Amino acid sequence: MDFALNEEHKMIRDMARNYAQKELAPVAAELDQKSEFPSRHLPKMAELGLLGMMVPTEWGGSGLDTLAYVLALEEVSAACASTSVTMSVNNSLYCGPIVKFGTDAQKEKYLTPYASGQKLGAYALSEPGTGSDAANQQTTAVLKGDKWILNGRKNFITNGPNADAMIVYAMNDKEKRHKGISAFLVEKNFPGFAVGKVEKKLGICASSTSEIVLDNCEVPAANLLGQAGQGFTIAMSTLDSGRIGIGTQALGIARAAYEAARKYSTEREAFGKKIYEFGAIEGFIADMATEVDASRLLVHRAAWLKDQGQPFGKEASMAKLFASETAMRVTNKAIQVHGGYGYIKEYPVERYYRDAKITEIYEGTSEIQRLVICRHVLKEIQ
Ligand code: CAA
């Protein structure tokens, strides 16, 4: 077993850290306060190869492995969680399934410009009445001639208002429940496609989240991703990978909060000594350091398994579950270490706390991760 990163991985991590700390961290609070989508940062991220990291180079990506991706994503997440979810959705939820299930013609049109960062993608699975029970899709797809006609509403779509295209899941045969779901490549300018309500959120305020309205939306038959009826498998296997990304985002947020608290504890004095010298704060710092490290080990294990071509769904859910709950505990303690200063916007820890919460919700709530993990571990004894 080797816990050391190789030179290429270290180089990618250092490149991403250098970029994120220099260009994202200084503006993250401003983007958050203005709820400003990080559009102006995407060209540089594209230039650095951060938007299609695991996409083969022939399709405009960086051709790197999952470990390289999580190393870079942790750095972006530690600097600006809003930018990191924008990056993660384009990499894991949009480009990922096109690499795996797309035809060459689909890859040329819907992968190359997105992996190289000229365009941005999204993933539209959730609906107003369909969150955790993803198989219960109400959006419909009917094949008419050489077009699929899609009707329905999607909600909580990350990158929704800014995406040039997205993978939309819809029911084309209700009788078959999950086996009647298909996946479609839908462009923003297709007739019948509209961006609905743009959400105001507790955290990751600079990322964009909206409803998508499909009103007799016309999708060319050639834009079916995979086979008709394969949509649920595509959605689920995509989320397995996506959960490694959200685990990484949680890890990055937790690390940033831990580092801020550790620094503050060596600067702030009370009762004539630095606050880290008090047992209570010492305990906080030790617990934070331990849980951040444990999260990273789980995230890296899931990424490694995926890179080895081994099953990784259980480990991805474990990494997301543990890292997201760690992010909540660590950001909470980071505010506590800062006292009153932790509660005001002059210090970044209140943003970390708000940003952390979503990692327990999107790409499967903690309750869904426990369900997935439990199903896997019960299978192991059958
Ligand atoms: N990979 C491949 N196939 C899978 C799979 C996976 N990970 N998980 C399940 N399947 C297959 C099963 O093998 C089964 O296939 P067969 O019928 O051929 O045997 C089929 O799918 C149905 O599986 P289940 O019976 O397990 O399905 P279920 O209805 O009980 O649901 C669930 C399973 C885990 C609860 C799933 O619905 C789920 O993950 N829900 C959460 C959805 C979610 O995470 N939504 C997040 C929205 S996306 C988002 O947040 C994006 C964003 O913008 C950031």
Side-chain angles (χ1 to χ4, degrees):
M1 188 177 287
D2 188 356
F3 287 100
L5 297 176
N6 67 30
E7 286 312 309
E8 189 189 17
H9 284 132
K10 278 190 208 157
M11 210 173 75
I12 289 159
R13 180 200 57 195
D14 294 348
M15 171 278 288
R17 181 174 298 173
N18 186 38
Y19 163 70
Q21 287 305 316
K22 227 161 99 187
E23 299 196 28
L24 294 176
V27 298
E30 186 194 341
L31 294 176
D32 171 70
Q33 278 167 36
K34 292 185 180 164
S35 293
E36 182 187 322
F37 188 72
S39 320
R40 60 188 153 111
H41 298 284
L42 297 182
K44 179 72 184 178
M45 291 176 75
E47 196 186 306
L48 296 174
L50 297 174
L51 297 178
M53 292 193 72
M54 296 167 289
V55 174
T57 49
E58 61 179 308
W59 300 114
S62 302
L64 295 166
D65 60 11
T66 316
L67 186 57
Y69 168 58
V70 301
L71 289 166
L73 189 61
E74 178 186 333
E75 297 307 325
V76 173
S77 305
C80 177
S82 295
T83 305
S84 80
V85 72
T86 311
M87 168 179 167
S88 145
V89 165
N90 195 66
N91 274 279
S92 316
L93 297 192
Y94 179 81
C95 292
I98 302 177
V99 170
K100 205 164 155 194
F101 299 98
T103 61
D104 280 1
Q106 289 173 341
K107 286 178 184 167
E108 201 170 310
K109 192 162 181 196
Y110 293 108
L111 186 57
T112 303
Y114 295 79
S116 58
Q118 294 155 40
K119 291 185 172 180
L120 191 68
Y123 173 95
L125 177 70
S126 300
E127 299 177 349
T130 305
S132 293
D133 183 8
N136 186 32
Q137 292 287 306
Q138 300 301 309
T139 298
T140 56
V142 177
L143 186 61
K144 280 196 182 150
D146 61 352
K147 286 199 167 70
W148 287 92
I149 306 299
L150 269 54
N151 277 291
R153 292 181 100 81
K154 297 289 175 181
N155 75 342
F156 304 145
I157 307 307
T158 304
N159 294 349
N162 302 86
D164 298 284
M166 56 188 67
I167 301 174
V168 174
Y169 297 88
M171 184 68 87
N172 64 290
D173 190 344
K174 202 164 175 54
E175 298 288 296
K176 293 189 180 159
R177 199 173 140 86
H178 68 271
K179 289 192 169 134
I181 296 171
S182 300
F184 301 91
L185 292 159
V186 180
E187 289 182 39
K188 67 175 180 186
N189 52 11
F190 281 177
F193 177 97
V195 172
K197 185 172 157 232
V198 178
E199 305 294 350
K200 293 197 169 87
K201 308 186 294 285
L202 170 73
I204 53 162
C205 296
S207 72
S208 59
T209 310
S210 75
E211 271 191 324
I212 296 297
V213 183
L214 302 154
D215 182 8
N216 287 318
C217 178
E218 295 176 21
V219 180
N223 282 26
L224 175 71
L225 183 65
Q227 306 297 315
Q230 203 186 4
F232 194 68
T233 309
I234 297 176
M236 291 298 111
S237 60
T238 299
L239 283 171
D240 284 342
S241 302
R243 287 166 185 165
I244 302 178
I246 301 306
T248 306
Q249 184 191 34
L251 163 65
I253 297 168
R255 186 193 98 198
Y258 152 64
E259 288 177 352
R262 183 181 59 179
K263 180 165 180 285
Y264 188 77
S265 76
T266 63
E267 293 164 359
R268 175 78 177 175
E269 290 186 4
F271 303 99
K273 46 185 183 176
K274 304 284 187 201
I275 61 170
Y276 75 85
E277 294 176 70
F278 292 98
I281 304 297
E282 200 177 52
F284 280 169
I285 302 290
D287 288 350
M288 289 164 141
T290 306
E291 291 189 59
V292 167
D293 259 19
S295 299
R296 187 177 293 109
L297 289 171
L298 284 172
V299 164
H300 286 197
R301 179 183 65 166
W304 180 84
L305 283 169
K306 182 171 172 246
D307 289 336
Q308 301 305 308
Q310 292 186 38
F312 63 94
K314 177 185 77 176
E315 290 78 7
S317 283
M318 285 178 165
K320 181 190 184 284
L321 174 65
F322 187 80
S324 59
E325 294 192 349
T326 291
M328 284 310 294
R329 285 190 293 272
V330 168
T331 55
N332 185 29
K333 282 181 184 147
I335 292 185
Q336 204 63 20
V337 169
H338 283 73
Y341 291 103
Y343 201 70
I344 60 172
K345 290 197 183 285
E346 209 173 313
Y347 286 77
V349 286
E350 66 82 34
R351 173 166 51 87
Y352 300 149
Y353 181 74
R354 289 185 290 104
D355 287 347
K357 183 61 199 170
I358 191 59
T359 65
E360 291 187 313
I361 298 173
Y362 58 19
E363 301 201 29
T365 60
S366 293
E367 293 67 38
I368 289 296
Q369 306 313 322
R370 289 190 167 89
L371 178 151
V372 170
I373 294 163
C374 186
R375 284 182 182 177
H376 276 287
V377 297
L378 290 178
K379 262 193 224 148
E380 287 165 8
I381 56 164
Q382 279 164 9

